[in-house]
Amino acid sequence: MATMATTSSVAAGLGSPLPLLRRSSKPTLTSGFIRPQVASRSPLNLKLASGGRFTCFERDWLRTDLNVIGFGLIGWLAPSSIPAINGNSLTGLFFQSIGTELAHWPTGPALTSQFWLWMVLWHLGLFLCLTFGQIGFKGRSEEYF
């Protein structure tokens, strides 16, 4: 029996007794051919001085400016108030449709109501004007053009 136990320990330990306590699960190999590990120089792994976090975008990526909102709203209200649709302006038609829909409150507007057309067109123009205003205003202030 003692012979069998010794044989199995030699086979299991490959010639050495089984270690009872292992320090690390990774083997440490040293060689003249293997380079030592160096710290990564990737900007994604670097820790910045501001709290030790790295972010790909600036904190104020939207760069909100009330000038853009003000000028964009005025820049959209002026052309949308020109009476170009059968003698009516887009703003006038939109506000008039709001009034007619509020007349039968709390029932909402029907899907066939003109309110939806004027609302989508008016807001689409407003958002385009605000977007181009943001691009133009910030592009000029940051000297892109």
Side-chain angles (χ1 to χ4, degrees):
M1 275 267 203
T3 312
M4 193 188 289
T6 307
T7 307
S8 64
S9 71
V10 170
L14 298 175
S16 64
L18 292 173
L20 297 176
L21 186 63
R22 189 172 245 188
R23 293 184 185 190
S24 173
S25 62
K26 293 183 188 177
T28 54
L29 301 174
T30 56
S31 171
F33 296 107
I34 299 174
R35 294 182 189 168
Q37 291 182 351
V38 294
S40 173
R41 295 179 192 243
S42 170
L44 296 175
N45 291 338
L46 295 177
K47 293 191 178 203
L48 300 177
S50 62
R53 293 181 304 245
F54 179 81
T55 57
C56 293
F57 296 103
E58 296 176 19
R59 277 289 213 217
D60 186 25
W61 62 270
L62 186 59
R63 294 182 226 144
T64 56
D65 191 355
L66 295 179
N67 289 328
V68 175
I69 296 171
F71 288 130
L73 184 61
I74 292 170
W76 175 239
L77 278 175
S80 68
S81 296
I82 297 171
I85 306 168
N86 294 330
N88 294 322
S89 67
L90 180 59
T91 302
L93 289 169
F94 178 48
F95 291 161
Q96 182 182 6
S97 68
I98 290 173
T100 56
E101 294 302 328
L102 284 176
H104 56 80
W105 175 265
T107 305
L111 289 176
T112 58
S113 174
Q114 288 289 315
F115 165 77
W116 298 113
L117 174 67
W118 306 134
M119 185 196 71
V120 168
L121 287 176
W122 196 87
H123 282 92
L124 182 68
L126 175 67
F127 295 149
L128 282 173
C129 195
L130 289 173
T131 300
F132 289 137
Q134 177 80 347
I135 291 169
F137 195 87
K138 290 300 177 180
R140 177 70 99 168
S141 66
E142 293 182 11
E143 299 176 357
Y144 285 122
F145 38 83

